[in-house]
Amino acid sequence: MAQPPKTPPPPYFNIDPETASKKLTDPISTARFAKAAAFATKGRDDLAKRGYAPDGRKRLRRFSTWEICRYLIPVAPAHFRRVLKQNPDLPQGEGDGGAKWFSLEDVLKLRDFFAAEGVSTREYRPWRPEGIDAKVIAVANFKGGVGKTSTAAHLAMSAALDGYRVLVVDLDSQGSMTSIMGGQVDDEWQTAFPLMAKHYAQHVEAENKVRVAAGQPPLPLDETLTEALGFAAKQVIQKTHWPNIDLIGAQLNLYWAEFQVPVWRMQQRSWPLWDALSGFMESEGLLKEYDLVILDTPPALGYLTINALSAADILLIPLGASFLEFDSTGRFFDMLYSTFASIEDGENSMRRTHGLPEIRFEWDAVRALITRFDAGQQTDLANVIQAYFGDFMTTYRQEMTAMVGQAGEQVNGIYEADYREFNRDTYVRGRETFDRTWAEVKEIILGCWWRDLQMADKGDE
């Protein structure tokens, strides 16, 4: 009688040590890491350039009449075509017949025209009160893989499509945001580092004036700080393939700041290291030049992240609907409290001694945002997270769709994806994922600006 076939044992059974040893390479030296890094660099560049034009540059696609009338300018397609026909000096788009395609520069010009000539009750251009500073948004969490860079990039693109002028600052030395935005960064002198160094150098210069007046020798400025004093923001700000998004990029050497900033602080205890980022944004006039500044932070609560959080008006904290990410985000809030309360206590103790006004960190709004959400698998846990974090949570949960995944593979945002590559319903659903996130964030921004405006008006009375 035939024996039934035996179930094979698990793969971790019957492993022969001698055979296993023969599969090993020679012991790994540090030089092998350099080789792996070189291969990874080439692969990263090859993959990042999937969405690039043949000349090696990233270009933003054009937008169809259907997209413009549905998503960008509140006007009926038939009326839109009539206006173009009646005003031949306006951008006419490319293509034959009714299938016209327009650059975002064209869209911005058309938006200005409709704002001047269109229906007064419609919002053709986004609102920002005159004389009020840009809003700074930091996207942060010290857990990696929660969608910080993706969220930050899509918020920047959403705001740009809305007509806002946006500055994106990549503070993560991995440089993922820089890749998405098509930036080129050769060394740390093309990142935010020299502007932070400039902030410290200016503090030393001010301190030296006091020392000289008191008959004390001035503090020396090394070569790095001397060079940083001559830097301006425009030297590190890059144009991107989006006409109204600029970039301060990042690369691996930016991580040096995590070691250099505490050294400067030890040399000058009076230097407010947490103000280096906000200090240069104010002194360089960036809060007047742009409407929004979006800070993409590293997955750690280091000195770069502390600077971003201190500079931010609005703090967004992405997390997935899992226990580990919920737990990690709770610890992140705990570290935020410990870090900033410690800075307040230490700084205010000194300020009270010298009769100076105390400092207090405040944010206009803080929101945790669930990303990569799967309604079929994660609704119960998402509801629990919502219940515990309460008013810290956004209402909308950012779903993971096939379109989002495919755009990520192309190192693009979903707004950069041509909807003709998808089923129209797939495109609409994928876009809605970030449109609804932007709607909630925009509501917060406008509310904060309105509150700032009311406070400014009261101050003028």
Side-chain angles (χ1 to χ4, degrees):
M1 183 174 180
Q3 295 291 324
K6 294 182 178 179
T7 302
Y12 51 82
F13 276 28
N14 303 325
I15 296 176
D16 177 59
E18 181 180 359
T19 303
S21 72
K22 293 176 181 178
K23 294 182 178 180
L24 296 175
T25 64
D26 293 336
I28 306 299
S29 69
T30 54
R32 184 64 181 84
F33 292 135
K35 187 176 180 180
F39 284 140
T41 297
K42 186 177 186 312
R44 181 195 64 210
D45 291 343
D46 290 344
L47 291 171
K49 289 180 179 178
R50 284 182 174 183
Y52 286 33
D55 63 0
R57 298 179 61 189
K58 236 184 173 184
R59 285 188 172 82
L60 184 60
R61 68 178 181 88
R62 291 178 175 269
F63 299 86
S64 70
T65 301
W66 170 76
E67 285 180 282
I68 292 171
C69 296
R70 172 160 182 157
Y71 295 112
L72 305 180
I73 303 176
V75 59
H79 181 62
F80 180 77
R81 294 188 180 97
R82 276 197 303 272
V83 168
L84 294 188
K85 188 174 182 180
Q86 293 167 2
N87 298 271
D89 55 325
L90 289 176
Q92 299 294 309
E94 295 182 357
D96 300 324
K100 298 290 187 180
W101 294 78
F102 299 79
S103 69
L104 186 55
E105 291 93 337
D106 293 339
V107 174
L108 296 176
K109 291 175 184 176
L110 291 167
R111 183 179 275 133
D112 287 341
F113 175 84
F114 280 102
E117 304 294 335
V119 180
S120 61
T121 56
R122 291 188 181 178
E123 181 186 304
Y124 297 106
R125 280 190 300 214
W127 182 76
R128 175 188 173 182
E130 192 73 30
I132 302 297
D133 281 350
K135 284 299 172 187
V136 181
I137 303 171
V139 184
N141 197 332
F142 64 20
K143 191 173 194 322
V146 296
K148 289 190 303 296
T149 299
S150 176
T151 298
H154 283 100
L155 286 175
M157 294 175 189
S158 298
L161 289 174
D162 230 0
Y164 286 116
R165 298 163 298 168
V166 183
L167 174 64
V168 174
V169 184
D170 190 353
L171 296 172
D172 187 348
S173 57
Q174 296 176 86
S176 299
M177 174 68 83
T178 302
S179 294
I180 291 173
M181 291 296 170
Q184 299 293 324
V185 180
D186 295 327
D187 57 37
E188 68 274 15
W189 287 92
Q190 296 175 358
T191 71
F193 171 76
L195 299 178
M196 296 176 72
K198 180 179 180 179
H199 184 267
Y200 173 71
Q202 289 173 331
H203 178 84
V204 173
E205 282 193 323
E207 181 68 20
N208 280 340
K209 291 180 181 178
V210 176
R211 292 174 67 89
V212 170
Q216 299 174 343
L219 300 167
L221 286 173
D222 61 24
E223 184 179 344
T224 295
L225 296 175
T226 302
E227 185 175 352
L229 278 172
F231 252 73
K234 63 182 179 182
Q235 291 175 257
V236 297
I237 293 176
Q238 305 180 40
K239 295 294 182 183
T240 72
H241 56 297
W242 287 73
N244 49 348
I245 299 179
D246 290 346
L247 169 73
I248 297 179
Q251 57 106 253
L252 189 60
N253 288 354
L254 176 60
Y255 195 69
W256 184 38
E258 297 288 1
F259 301 96
Q260 189 61 59
V261 167
V263 171
W264 290 334
R265 173 68 171 178
M266 290 297 292
Q267 292 171 348
Q268 271 295 297
R269 299 292 297 178
S270 59
W271 176 54
L273 66 86
W274 53 87
D275 273 350
L277 196 60
S278 57
F280 86 68
M281 286 195 292
E282 290 177 12
S283 63
E284 300 283 326
L286 302 183
L287 301 182
K288 303 296 183 187
E289 184 175 349
Y290 296 94
D291 300 308
L292 298 173
V293 180
I294 297 180
L295 310 175
D296 185 34
T297 64
L301 193 55
Y303 293 104
L304 288 168
T305 302
I306 288 172
N307 262 275
L309 299 177
S310 175
D313 301 301
I314 298 167
L315 174 57
L316 296 180
I317 303 166
L319 74 153
S322 73
F323 168 78
L324 293 178
E325 294 186 33
F326 172 52
D327 179 52
S328 176
T329 301
R331 297 176 193 275
F332 181 64
F333 283 131
D334 189 30
M335 287 191 69
L336 288 181
Y337 164 72
S338 300
T339 300
F340 286 99
S342 176
I343 294 173
E344 286 177 341
D345 290 344
E347 188 71 9
N348 289 334
S349 176
M350 181 272 293
R351 285 171 172 262
R352 284 190 292 270
T353 301
H354 294 86
L356 298 173
E358 297 186 7
I359 65 167
R360 184 175 66 172
F361 292 100
E362 283 188 338
W363 291 266
D364 287 338
V366 176
R367 294 290 186 275
L369 165 67
I370 290 179
T371 59
R372 301 173 290 112
F373 178 61
D374 181 347
Q377 302 288 330
Q378 299 176 322
T379 297
D380 287 345
L381 187 51
N383 289 340
V384 171
I385 294 172
Q386 193 97 25
Y388 278 104
F389 282 157
D391 61 358
F392 262 18
M393 293 295 301
T394 59
T395 303
Y396 181 67
R397 297 161 185 173
Q398 202 175 89
E399 293 186 49
M400 183 65 183
T401 68
M403 181 182 170
V404 173
Q406 185 172 328
E409 290 175 5
Q410 298 294 329
V411 199
N412 283 329
I414 60 166
Y415 299 115
E416 297 175 316
D418 191 328
Y419 69 84
R420 292 172 295 182
E421 298 175 2
F422 305 89
N423 173 284
R424 178 82 57 102
D425 291 338
T426 302
Y427 176 82
V428 169
R429 181 168 173 264
R431 180 179 174 128
E432 184 183 21
T433 295
F434 290 98
D435 282 350
R436 292 186 62 178
T437 297
W438 168 237
E440 284 204 58
V441 174
K442 182 179 178 181
E443 185 176 34
I444 294 169
I445 293 167
L446 298 191
C448 292
W449 269 332
W450 181 265
R451 186 166 61 188
D452 291 347
L453 186 61
Q454 304 312 302
M455 292 176 64
D457 289 343
K458 287 181 180 179
D460 292 337
E461 292 177 357

